[in-house]
Amino acid sequence: PTGRKKRRLYAHDLTILQMAFSQSGEALLSVSRDRTFSIHTNPNRNEPGHDPFDFNLIRRSSQQGRQINCCGWSWDDQIFATGSRDKTLRFYVGLGSTRTGEPLSSRSTMKFSSGVTALSFHEKPLSSGCVIVTGLEDGGIHVVNVDQSTVDHIPSLVLSIDPMLCHAGRVRGIACGGVSNDSMLTLASCSDDGSVRLYKLAYV
């Protein structure tokens, strides 16, 4: 089978480093070396006769000081996050603000010891909010909880994996799996050190 180009989207001036569709498929988030993220939406994609590829740029923003490496959406599309070489993980209000045209600014920020190179939201809520796992430029891996009961979506560090068990190089990709019956959180990660690692973490 061969593919065919349906539409070309314009947003960035330099290399796009990651793209992520929202859970609903309504929005496409992208991040770039040009230090910006952009959001394209197609809210009418499921209507009869409407072009499912008719995505249009509604947001382009630069709120991080270095290139933005990674991005992702929460399980309910209420939050999206971006991770940057400036060592920050930033959280934004999700699709609600993009639909209403509200000014888009980060609600909260978490700072790490190294650049954020990979992130993954858990597929469902845990405790009082959503869980996000981050991988860093120095090989570190951290689990963060974002409190969705507050307007500012305050993040808190749940746990950090022992550096002796982490990667020796930049984390290139990370995925957060389900929670098993014994309350263990499953993670998978890959790195510039040439390894793929699987973790089972006790999540409280």
Side-chain angles (χ1 to χ4, degrees):
T2 58
R4 208 162 43 118
K5 183 172 71 174
K6 290 290 188 177
R7 187 175 180 86
R8 185 170 183 176
L9 306 179
Y10 296 90
H12 298 287
D13 300 320
L14 296 173
T15 308
I16 294 173
L17 297 177
Q18 189 171 12
M19 304 174 75
F21 279 103
S22 61
Q23 309 300 332
S24 65
E26 176 182 332
L28 175 62
L29 171 66
S30 60
V31 295
S32 168
R33 286 179 56 209
D34 65 11
R35 307 181 183 185
T36 69
F37 69 81
S38 69
I39 300 176
H40 290 79
T41 62
N42 184 4
N44 303 314
R45 68 200 179 287
N46 293 324
E47 293 183 4
H50 189 81
D51 182 0
F53 300 99
D54 186 24
F55 281 82
N56 295 288
L57 179 66
I58 62 166
R59 288 287 191 280
R60 185 170 186 261
S61 180
S62 176
Q63 299 187 31
Q64 286 169 295
R66 303 286 297 279
Q67 72 178 35
I68 305 178
N69 295 314
C70 51
C71 60
W73 297 86
S74 64
W75 64 278
D76 57 359
D77 288 341
Q78 295 304 304
I79 300 172
F80 69 88
T82 61
S84 170
R85 183 176 280 179
D86 69 3
K87 305 180 183 179
T88 63
L89 179 66
R90 289 184 182 265
F91 298 93
Y92 302 82
V93 175
L95 282 176
S97 62
T98 63
R99 294 192 188 102
T100 60
E102 297 173 19
L104 194 61
S105 60
S106 62
R107 288 298 179 93
S108 56
T109 302
M110 178 165 274
K111 188 88 171 180
F112 293 92
S113 60
S114 184
V116 181
T117 54
L119 65 84
S120 174
F121 278 93
H122 192 268
E123 61 189 7
K124 60 183 180 181
L126 298 174
S127 301
S128 62
C130 59
V131 171
I132 182 171
V133 182
T134 62
L136 304 185
E137 200 161 6
D138 63 6
I141 296 175
H142 304 275
V143 181
V144 175
N145 184 79
V146 182
D147 187 353
Q148 290 182 283
S149 66
T150 64
V151 174
D152 292 329
H153 303 311
I154 303 301
S156 59
L157 184 65
V158 176
L159 62 89
S160 299
I161 295 181
D162 186 334
M164 296 297 293
L165 302 176
C166 290
H167 294 282
R170 175 186 309 191
V171 178
R172 284 291 183 180
I174 198 162
C176 184
V179 176
S180 60
N181 293 333
D182 55 0
S183 298
M184 301 295 283
L185 185 68
T186 305
L187 307 179
S189 61
C190 60
S191 167
D192 281 352
D193 65 10
S195 71
V196 174
R197 302 196 178 202
L198 300 177
Y199 302 91
K200 289 189 72 174
L201 307 174
Y203 182 85
V204 179

